[in-house]
Amino acid sequence: MKFTQYFLHMRNRQDRKDIPLEWIEFVFNNPDYEEIQADGRIRRWAKIKENNKYLRIIILEDYQTIHNAFFDRSFKKQ
């Protein structure tokens, strides 16, 4: 996986620094749901069993570069 500078910067936030890269990789490879944003970026969600929450990742249009990752409290499985 590749990461944007924005992603690396946001990983320093208190609410995101404890998200293991393994969980991000899990969502990248095993999404429960995916949608394309108007700007072409890809949103993927998957439930993380260890904490029973949905993790959302944002991937750039190249389908390889992670731009953001955070727990999405408002996500409802479609």
Side-chain angles (χ1 to χ4, degrees):
M1 289 187 297
K2 297 188 295 186
F3 306 101
T4 63
Q5 286 299 313
Y6 177 80
F7 173 84
L8 297 173
H9 175 71
M10 294 302 284
R11 295 255 319 150
N12 294 322
R13 283 179 45 153
Q14 187 67 29
D15 63 333
R16 299 184 190 185
K17 69 178 187 175
D18 294 330
I19 300 173
L21 287 177
E22 294 82 15
W23 291 357
I24 295 168
E25 185 174 2
F26 174 78
V27 176
F28 185 85
N29 292 318
N30 306 285
D32 290 335
Y33 187 73
E34 176 180 299
E35 69 180 31
I36 308 296
Q37 297 181 168
D39 62 3
R41 294 177 179 173
I42 301 97
R43 294 179 182 165
R44 290 182 179 168
W45 291 264
K47 191 169 191 174
I48 304 299
K49 292 179 183 176
E50 287 84 348
N51 65 6
N52 202 31
K53 295 179 180 176
Y54 278 92
L55 182 65
R56 181 201 303 188
I57 65 170
I58 309 295
I59 307 165
L60 296 185
E61 303 87 338
D62 65 3
Y63 281 85
Q64 297 178 7
T65 307
I66 307 295
H67 181 65
N68 205 353
F70 55 91
F71 287 105
D72 188 346
R73 295 180 190 169
S74 63
F75 178 73
K76 305 287 183 208
K77 192 168 183 175
Q78 308 295 315

